[in-house]
Amino acid sequence: MRNFFRYFFAIFLIVIGVMLVMANLEVIDFNFSVAWHYIYPIFFVVIGFMSLIRYLGRRGGSWIFGSFFAIFGSLLIMDRLDWMTFAFKDVINLWPLLIVYIGFSLIGRNRVKINYSFDDDKNHDYDYDTGWHKKYFDNSMFSVGSQTFDEQNWVVEPLHLKHMAGDFYFNFSKAFIPEKKIPITIDSLAADVNIVVPENIDFRIHARVKAGGIQVLDQASDGINRTFVYQTNNYDAAVKKLDFYINLKAGNIRIDRV
């Protein structure tokens, strides 16, 4: 998909360049400002469909971002073809799409299961400092509600949970934890995250909270723009371990041992 966009942009530049040269040589009559009025909506459509294709192929992208730009670009093109009247400033009239997106997101799944191998750090694209590669996740930031992982023998899998607002509770003392490093990411605008980890399980956490508090075992940090990094003593050598990356705009994070 990156190559497609590169080739599309390259061909566009070549065609524009050739036409400008021919216009300067008075071979053809070409007005770039007039042509651009018809050309730039195509970029919105292309970017939108690229994002949709990546999303549907589970390689990243966003159906919200993709559909919005595809619709916006298509409306601009229809205006240029005199099928309807729609100017760039009329983008504000598309605000009801926000309601539609929230509705679809509430219907969608909150939990994402990912087929992903962590047997060797060289085989995956996880970056602990910046979060995991987006192509592995497809849920929406518009989700609202609580998530509880407390069933007996629930299987721990790599997770990336994105919520607008909600609470999260993880009880790993009741879980079946495979012998590998398992990443768990939580992104939320407002949330309380409570995690219970058994004494025999090592873990690492990288937490960011814009406004709120973080408490990990006997260490605490609260206030504005808090960042907290911690790992247990045997984390590097452990075969079975948990990797938390938590990013909240507002809320609290708490991790306890049992």
Side-chain angles (χ1 to χ4, degrees), residues 63 95-107:
W63 73 270
W95 70 264
L97 285 176
L98 178 62
I99 300 175
V100 176
Y101 293 147
I102 292 176
F104 274 110
S105 298
L106 291 176
I107 295 172

Side-chain angles (χ1 to χ4, degrees), residues 182-226:
I182 302 177
I184 296 175
T185 288
I186 299 173
D187 288 311
S188 182
L189 298 181
D192 284 331
V193 181
N194 290 281
I195 301 171
V196 176
V197 181
E199 290 284 352
N200 64 328
I201 298 297
D202 288 281
F203 68 90
R204 175 171 62 178
I205 179 172
H206 190 155
R208 295 191 182 104
V209 178
K210 291 293 185 180
I214 304 170
Q215 181 171 339
V216 177
L217 306 182
D218 59 349
Q219 301 185 38
S221 175
D222 59 86
I224 305 297
N225 290 327
R226 300 287 91 186

Side-chain angles (χ1 to χ4, degrees), residues 30-38:
F30 177 71
N31 189 319
F32 180 77
S33 61
V34 174
W36 179 249
H37 182 68
Y38 289 87

